[in-house]
Amino acid sequence: MSMREFCTSASGLYIALEGIDTSGKSTQIEALRARYPQALITKEPGGSKIGQDIRELILHTPDLDRFCEFFLFLADRAQHYHEVLKPSLDSHKLVISDRSLISGVAYARDIPQAIEYNHTAIRGVKPHLCVLLLLDEANLRARLGQKTHDKIEERGIAYMLEIQERLQRFCALLGVRTLEIDATLPPERITQMIVREVDLLELDSVELG
Ligand code: ADP
């Protein structure tokens, strides 16, 4: 597939890291920050100024209605596009984001038109590449056991595995080029696999001008 076929933005390169909590996104983000010092490293939710407040609200509001939660994520996504994503892509930057609209859709179970709402928030822009870190149940349990559970994790292992399946499904449904990686591989090996793919994409985009 050529760059043009999946490229939705004429400039910059937009890479999203996806995976359920504890799959190793933050670990890889830090490795990629070191490998690509020129990249803009960001996250959803929380990549914009107001997004940081929205993230706190989502994590710490008791009895948050699921529709309210969904629309808070969308508000974060819209501002992130305006403040971070669009300016960076317009100035031809490499953007690496911890989560994206793919999480937005995957976590929005039973919310009608979740895909359309997410597309609207981010004005039709999609990642050029989604790196999807996949965990098996035993390793998920082990990693969760070592971490203080946040609100989403408290919903349980079965829920998280269902979300993981939805992440896979929506990458395909949204037509996003996806690199699925076994999240239990050594971190350095995972970084190598990501770097190889990003370098390929960068090469394609230079060749295609
Ligand atoms: P996330 O950002 O997706 O929630 P983290 O990067 O915080 O995940 O990783 C969750 C936990 O798993 C951390 O304790 C981290 O050190 C560990 N971890 C991350 N990547 C790996 C890996 N490839 N192999 C083993 N443990 C890992």
Side-chain angles (χ1 to χ4, degrees):
M1 196 194 304
S2 80
M3 181 75 177
R4 285 285 175 257
E5 284 172 74
F6 59 84
C7 186
T8 51
S9 152
S11 54
L13 204 53
Y14 174 22
I15 315 289
L17 262 73
E18 290 283 1
I20 50 178
D21 281 297
T22 76
S23 61
K25 299 181 299 299
S26 319
T27 304
Q28 292 306 318
I29 288 278
E30 287 320 308
L32 294 170
R33 191 194 296 280
R35 173 63 179 76
Y36 297 106
Q38 80 283 15
L40 189 283
I41 308 285
T42 185
K43 62 183 175 188
E44 292 187 20
S48 65
K49 286 194 196 77
I50 200 176
Q52 290 166 18
D53 295 333
I54 295 173
R55 186 186 180 97
E56 289 303 306
L57 273 175
I58 292 170
L59 287 174
H60 301 300
T61 303
D63 191 29
L64 186 61
D65 174 65
R66 65 194 178 89
F67 279 78
C68 181
E69 180 183 81
F70 175 73
F71 285 111
L72 284 172
F73 276 119
L74 286 185
D76 168 82
R77 187 151 293 121
Q79 185 64 21
H80 182 250
Y81 169 82
H82 170 74
E83 197 175 308
V84 180
L85 212 45
K86 184 169 191 318
S88 302
L89 290 174
D90 282 352
S91 55
H92 303 266
K93 281 197 174 140
L94 171 63
V95 178
I96 302 176
S97 181
D98 188 336
R99 296 195 186 272
S100 69
L101 89 156
I102 300 162
S103 278
V105 176
Y107 281 86
R109 291 188 311 174
D110 309 324
I111 301 220
Q113 284 131 32
I115 293 181
E116 288 81 356
Y117 279 127
N118 271 281
H119 276 319
T120 301
I122 195 174
R123 270 114 324 167
V125 170
K126 288 188 281 186
H128 301 117
L129 172 70
C130 170
V131 175
L132 181 53
L133 297 166
L134 296 172
L135 265 181
D136 61 279
E137 182 171 347
N139 280 288
L140 172 59
R141 273 184 201 284
R143 286 197 195 175
L144 281 176
Q146 291 165 5
K147 196 184 156 183
T148 318
H149 296 190
D150 75 16
K151 217 169 134 185
I152 287 174
E153 286 158 2
E154 279 167 20
R155 294 174 191 175
I157 303 270
Y159 168 80
M160 290 179 71
L161 290 173
E162 187 200 325
I163 296 295
Q164 179 166 267
E165 268 182 38
R166 288 173 62 87
L167 286 169
Q168 283 181 288
R169 184 142 42 91
F170 285 115
C171 280
L173 201 72
L174 295 171
V176 175
R177 174 172 173 148
T178 305
L179 176 65
E180 290 191 358
I181 300 182
D182 174 357
T184 65
L185 289 170
E188 310 75 46
R189 175 88 187 91
I190 296 176
T191 308
Q192 266 177 8
M193 293 167 81
I194 300 173
V195 165
R196 195 178 55 191
E197 192 76 5
V198 171
D199 289 352
L200 268 178
L201 278 178
E202 282 193 313
L203 203 65
D204 276 357
S205 62
V206 169
E207 279 174 2
L208 289 164

